[in-house]
Amino acid sequence: MTTFMLTDTTAGKIAAQFTHLRHQMGAPAIGMVLTLVVVCEERHQYDALRAATEAAREHPSRIIVVIKREEDEPIRLDAELRIGENTPGEVVVLRLYGELTEHADSVVSPLLLPDTPVVAWWPGAAPDVPSKDAIGALAQRRITDAKGFDDGGVKSLVTRAKGYARGDTDLAWARITPWRSLLAAAFDQPVGKVRKGTVEAAAGHPSAPLLAAWLSERLGCSVKVVDSAGPGLTAVRLQLAAGGELSVVRNDARVATLSRPGQPDRTVALARRQTSELMAEELRRLDSDEIYEAAVKRFARTFKG
């Protein structure tokens, strides 16, 4: 991997350096399928970049990391470029100083790959309305992470719902994909109508109310969130009108037990996933997710916090 540092530079010089490095490596054209713009604080940079790079092994990308530094310093743009066999695509880490922190879009725009989708990701705190943010407006897909908020993220889901626009999603939603798939498969064999249900999870876990809202929307009944010892989501219990319970219980963050009336319990894989896996899932689809929209808006309507 080749790393190149540019201090007090411009977007034009960064783009020219990328071209020079590609030709130097004998790879003037690299099959990248999208641009991923990661907007984060310095403290989140390492983990966010690692997750983005691992996700890019499935979706070769130009990864642009935007870090806004001290606003009271003179205007300056520093860049770190990475390109090579161990990097699936290209990486540039931008550090913005002074008034430039308010105009990140003017720096990012010249670096976007032409004729390819743009995805924006905020690993930590995100704007209230991502689609109206300067960076968010450049993207067709905008990914936030309620878990990255200081309050744990449950309240931030209400903000996500109020400011929702087509193309928005949240990693709290991606975290429950295996749960949703397993629960949907559990209904392949008729079990009758569900009267009510509960989702058990560590207190304040933002994926729990989304899962409960999705179940309520699909089953037409009340599904509440109940605190558990964790970690993360630990159980879903659905009370059936005909009697008995359909449940998925996970005690060790790796496997779960699926129980249905009249059938033997079944052990199923249900491991907690790394951020890179969540990002890879989100990058597989660049269209709007209407199911997420319905779930987050339903939660916001019933939230009483």
Side-chain angles (χ1 to χ4, degrees), residues 195-198 212 216 220-224 298:
R195 291 193 303 109
K196 61 181 180 178
T198 58
S216 297
C221 66
S222 172
V223 179
K224 298 182 179 179
R298 183 183 183 99

Side-chain angles (χ1 to χ4, degrees), residues 178-254:
W179 285 84
R180 293 192 297 123
S181 298
L182 179 57
L183 289 164
F187 282 88
D188 285 346
Q189 298 180 7
V191 295
K193 185 176 178 60
V194 177
R195 291 193 303 109
K196 61 181 180 178
T198 58
V199 173
E200 300 174 12
H205 195 284
S207 293
L210 281 180
L211 181 56
W214 174 75
L215 286 167
S216 297
E217 190 83 12
R218 293 289 166 170
L219 300 175
C221 66
S222 172
V223 179
K224 298 182 179 179
V225 176
V226 177
D227 290 347
S228 72
L233 292 165
T234 54
V236 172
R237 304 180 190 275
L238 303 176
Q239 303 296 323
L240 304 178
E245 178 183 87
L246 187 157
S247 66
V248 177
V249 180
R250 182 176 69 179
N251 294 318
D252 64 358
R254 292 177 297 174

Side-chain angles (χ1 to χ4, degrees), residues 112-127:
L112 302 178
L113 293 172
D115 304 320
T116 58
V118 177
V119 179
W121 174 34
W122 291 267

Side-chain angles (χ1 to χ4, degrees), residues 272-289:
R272 301 183 76 188
R273 298 187 295 167
Q274 297 181 356
T275 304
S276 59
E277 297 175 87
L278 304 176
M279 285 299 297
E281 175 186 323
E282 290 300 335
L283 295 178
R284 288 186 201 118
R285 60 172 302 167
L286 298 175
D287 57 332
S288 183
D289 190 340

